[in-house]
Amino acid sequence: AENGLLIIGQLRCNKDREYAICLADKLQWPCFADILSGLRGVCGIAAHDQMLFADCGLKDYHPDVVLQLGGRITSKRLQEGFLNNRAGRKHIFVDSHSQRLDPNASITYRVQTKIADFCEHLLTTIKNSMPACYHETLSAISLATEKIIENEIQREGSLTEPFLAQM
């Protein structure tokens, strides 16, 4: 894929997390890690949900392939907005269970296997790749978004929900 997106949903064990990080590093695609992945802030575009809310930098981003590792995604903006109505795009869902977690019917391929095993196999077949065209742009927008949030939290100076979420 020339313009891929990695989405990391709910991961249930550290081995899956370790392999998901390795795959994200190898693919060099933008990566949206859901809060249930245990990788938010560790891997990928940390402020993707806020970016989807503000629609900054994402309205022109149309990945040709979405690879989703792990189960449920909590972000309604990602689930209902970004993943919905994207004709012509492949959406590959990988998880060890057989639950149907596709409220928008956007998944085109479903792979039921252990995530660590899937990643390990993929890591051996992928050659080193260059960052996807939007990776650097989205990373820069995410850093700017995080800085704005941090400044607002410091300006507020009291215990607020955003302040606690950052801790």
Side-chain angles (χ1 to χ4, degrees):
E2 301 233 353
N3 193 17
L5 171 66
L6 178 62
I7 295 175
I8 304 176
Q10 182 179 21
L11 298 178
R12 293 171 184 82
C13 69
N14 286 333
K15 185 176 180 182
D16 288 347
R17 289 181 191 92
E18 290 168 14
Y19 274 96
I21 290 170
C22 290
L23 185 61
D25 288 343
K26 183 86 169 200
L27 286 174
Q28 291 293 302
W29 292 354
C31 175
F32 295 170
D34 191 79
I35 191 74
L36 294 177
S37 70
L39 298 175
R40 187 118 177 229
V42 173
C43 177
I45 311 294
H48 70 270
D49 201 51
Q50 292 82 1
M51 292 167 59
L52 288 164
F53 176 71
D55 201 21
C56 56
L58 293 173
K59 62 181 158 193
D60 295 325
Y61 177 52
H62 304 288
D64 51 358
V65 173
V66 172
L67 175 58
Q68 181 181 340
L69 302 176
R72 195 163 60 92
I73 297 172
T74 58
S75 170
K76 285 188 179 184
R77 294 178 189 120
L78 180 58
Q79 189 70 262
E80 295 173 2
F82 193 74
L83 291 177
N84 203 15
N85 300 324
R86 301 290 179 151
R89 181 197 57 222
K90 294 178 181 97
H91 182 169
I92 304 161
F93 176 80
V94 181
D95 205 353
S96 58
H97 64 74
S98 61
Q99 296 173 344
R100 297 273 183 207
L101 300 172
D102 188 16
N104 301 319
S106 67
I107 294 172
T108 52
Y109 301 99
R110 183 179 312 274
V111 180
Q112 184 178 345
T113 188
K114 293 179 181 176
I115 292 170
D117 292 347
F118 178 86
C119 292
E120 184 176 29
H121 178 74
L122 208 53
L123 285 165
T124 62
T125 60
I126 296 173
K127 296 183 180 1
N128 289 337
S129 58
M130 297 296 291
C133 58
Y134 275 88
H135 189 260
E136 290 157 4
T137 303
L138 294 177
S139 294
I141 293 170
S142 178
L143 286 173
T145 303
E146 290 177 60
K147 189 70 176 165
I148 290 168
I149 292 168
E150 185 178 312
N151 289 340
E152 284 299 309
I153 289 170
Q154 288 176 357
R155 186 180 64 80
E156 184 70 29
S158 63
L159 287 177
T160 62
E161 186 176 345
F163 175 77
L164 293 172
Q166 290 291 323
M167 297 191 70

